[in-house]
């Protein structure tokens, strides 16, 4: 087994624990005034997270299975020093930072500009305070995909920024699904910029899950992250996004890997029965999906080893990217890759960092 401290480790899904206090001074008006003068910043009307992005019940910090010394657990971050400390703690050389707060964007129903405004504030804060190639800290820029013009503004802003290595589309709550032609201008612009699309899951909260009536987060956290990504994999593939934009790299994050053989098999089976409904495809849907990249977190360590071996064989270890999901308590450290018994050291090195160097042009 290899030692991750001896090899390049790239964390493709590190969540920056951003706050509205940080982002508010960089937001466009009227949002800047609204939130700088709130209870976060001084006087005025009380504002909190639920006043901006819908909140959700369900405590993902309840834990049992994972044996971890939390007295040595770095906070992970709401400033740059926290990120550096966590990288040292995990023996990670490079991180790709994703806003934690933006994962709730799918719950926004109002026809206003809060998502766009938050993204703009978040990015300017990250540019000024956090992102630093010398420390191996890069960013993934979210786009408010429900508003194409606003998304194009974000893409214009990040063009040429060496610290931005990809674009994030949150998969929970997308309507219409992200394979719809509505989003083609975003995909075309990203293809031209050479920036991969990172589809990041969400939607696991007890009250914000797509179906009502579940009683415990163990249920919705099992289903939500999976369902959000599965729905977009099917949409993006069946609607021919990889055919329309052949130079666009596609990445899916934070739903593990064991669901993919079943999804691929089912979609292939449906396609063989009604191929005329996916006229842009020139091969089986599964052949496109196995060209996508997938973050490994949360890697299903409790799965039968032969099932994981099937997943790795079907997807290819050259398409798998180490991801920690830090600073969430149930993060995966690099040992989830180095301890895998069914792959060789070269495959481990690919998954730990070399694949990420290729797809994110690091």
């Amino acid at each position: 087994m290899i030692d991750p401290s001896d090899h390049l480790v790239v964390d493709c899904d590190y969540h920056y624990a951003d706050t509205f206090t940080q982002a508010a001074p960089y937001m466009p008006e009227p949002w800047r005034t609204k939130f700088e003068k709130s209870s976060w910043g001084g006087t005025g009307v009380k504002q909190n997270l639920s006043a901006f992005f819908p909140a959700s019940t369900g405590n993902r910090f309840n834990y049992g299975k994972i044996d971890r010394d939390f007295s040595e657990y770095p906070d992970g971050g709401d400033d740059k020093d926290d990120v550096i400390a966590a990288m040292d703690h995990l023996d990670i050389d490079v991180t790709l930072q994703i806003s934690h707060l933006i994962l709730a964007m799918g719950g926004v129903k109002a026809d206003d500009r809060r998502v766009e405004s938050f993204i703009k504030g978040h990015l300017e804060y990250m540019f000024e305070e956090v992102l630093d190639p010398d420390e191996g800290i890069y960013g993934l820029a979210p786009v408010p995909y429900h508003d194409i013009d606003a998304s194009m503004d974000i893409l214009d802003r990040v063009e040429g920024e060496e610290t931005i290595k990809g674009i994030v589309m949150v998969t929970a709550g997308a309507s219409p699904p992200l394979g719809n032609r509505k989003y083609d201008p975003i995909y075309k612009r990203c293809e031209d910029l050479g920036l991969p699309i990172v589809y990041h899951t969400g939607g696991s909260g007890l009250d914000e899950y797509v179906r009502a009536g579940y009683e415990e987060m163990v249920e919705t956290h099992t289903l939500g992250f999976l369902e959000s990504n599965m729905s977009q994999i099917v949409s993006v593939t069946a609607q021919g996004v990889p055919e329309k934009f052949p130079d666009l790299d596609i990445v899916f994050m934070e739903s593990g890997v064991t669901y993919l053989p079943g999804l691929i098999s089912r979609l292939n089976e449906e396609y063989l029965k009604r191929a005329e409904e996916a006229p842009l495809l020139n091969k089986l849907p599964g052949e496109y999906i196995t060209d996508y990249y997938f973050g490994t977190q949360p890697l299903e360590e409790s799965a039968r080893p032969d099932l994981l071996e099937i997943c790795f064989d079907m997807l290819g270890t050259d398409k798998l990217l180490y991801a920690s999901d830090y600073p969430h308590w149930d993060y995966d450290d690099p040992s989830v890759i180095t301890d895998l018994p069914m792959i060789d050291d070269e495959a481990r090195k690919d998954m730990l960092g070399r694949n990420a160097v290729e797809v994110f042009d690091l």
Side-chain angles (χ1 to χ4, degrees), residues 185-246:
I186 297 175
Y187 296 140
K188 176 60 177 170
R189 186 81 169 101
C190 289
E191 184 182 50
D192 291 343
L193 293 173
L195 292 173
I197 290 284
V198 177
Y199 296 100
H200 193 290
T201 193
S204 68
L206 189 60
D207 290 338
E208 287 298 322
Y209 180 57
V210 67
R211 311 257 183 270
Y214 285 94
E215 298 177 56
E216 301 294 343
M217 198 172 179
V218 68
E219 299 171 284
T220 60
H221 206 266
T222 297
L223 297 169
F225 278 20
L226 201 60
E227 184 170 282
S228 295
N229 269 1
M230 288 174 68
S231 64
Q232 307 307 339
I233 291 172
V234 170
S235 174
V236 165
T237 306
Q239 294 303 318
V241 170
E243 282 289 347
K244 290 189 283 187
F245 309 101

Side-chain angles (χ1 to χ4, degrees), residues 181-341:
R181 66 185 184 280
K182 167 184 176 178
Y183 309 108
D184 283 359
I186 297 175
Y187 296 140
K188 176 60 177 170
R189 186 81 169 101
C190 289
E191 184 182 50
D192 291 343
L193 293 173
L195 292 173
I197 290 284
V198 177
Y199 296 100
H200 193 290
T201 193
S204 68
L206 189 60
D207 290 338
E208 287 298 322
Y209 180 57
V210 67
R211 311 257 183 270
Y214 285 94
E215 298 177 56
E216 301 294 343
M217 198 172 179
V218 68
E219 299 171 284
T220 60
H221 206 266
T222 297
L223 297 169
F225 278 20
L226 201 60
E227 184 170 282
S228 295
N229 269 1
M230 288 174 68
S231 64
Q232 307 307 339
I233 291 172
V234 170
S235 174
V236 165
T237 306
Q239 294 303 318
V241 170
E243 282 289 347
K244 290 189 283 187
F245 309 101
D247 294 326
L248 179 67
D249 283 323
I250 291 174
V251 183
F252 280 87
M253 283 291 173
E254 204 169 324
S255 47
V257 298
T258 56
Y259 71 102
L260 288 162
L263 178 64
I264 289 169
S265 299
R266 184 168 178 84
L267 185 53
N268 282 347
E269 187 72 14
E270 290 296 317
Y271 175 78
L272 290 170
K273 294 173 182 175
R274 43 185 66 86
E276 68 278 4
E277 293 187 4
L280 294 180
L281 304 191
N282 292 313
K283 54 188 178 183
L284 287 172
E287 295 180 63
Y288 294 98
I289 296 172
T290 53
D291 279 339
Y292 304 160
Y293 292 85
F294 293 91
T296 55
Q297 203 279 336
L299 191 64
E300 297 93 339
E301 297 175 87
S302 61
R304 283 173 37 173
D306 56 339
L307 174 57
L308 284 178
E309 190 167 10
I310 289 171
C311 295
F312 296 150
D313 181 62
M314 177 176 278
L315 300 172
T317 54
D318 61 331
K319 296 297 182 181
L320 295 173
L321 306 167
Y322 166 67
S324 74
D325 197 40
Y326 204 86
H328 298 141
W329 71 271
D330 49 354
Y331 71 89
D332 286 354
D333 65 41
S335 67
V336 301
I337 306 299
T338 59
D339 291 349
L340 289 170

Side-chain angles (χ1 to χ4, degrees), residues 115-167:
V115 175
E116 172 193 359
S117 300
F118 173 76
I119 289 172
K120 287 180 176 178
H122 165 77
L123 285 173
E124 296 306 327
Y125 167 79
M126 295 295 285
F127 285 139
E128 186 162 322
E129 300 290 343
V130 181
L131 303 182
D132 183 350
D134 291 338
E135 296 288 353
I137 305 174
Y138 294 90
L140 299 173
V143 291
Y145 51 72
H146 59 283
D147 185 328
I148 301 302
D149 289 340
S151 296
M152 301 305 276
D153 285 345
I154 297 295
L155 294 173
D156 287 344
R157 173 63 186 89
V158 302
E159 181 178 5
E161 289 284 353
E162 66 171 333
T163 55
I164 296 297
K165 293 299 181 181
I167 300 302

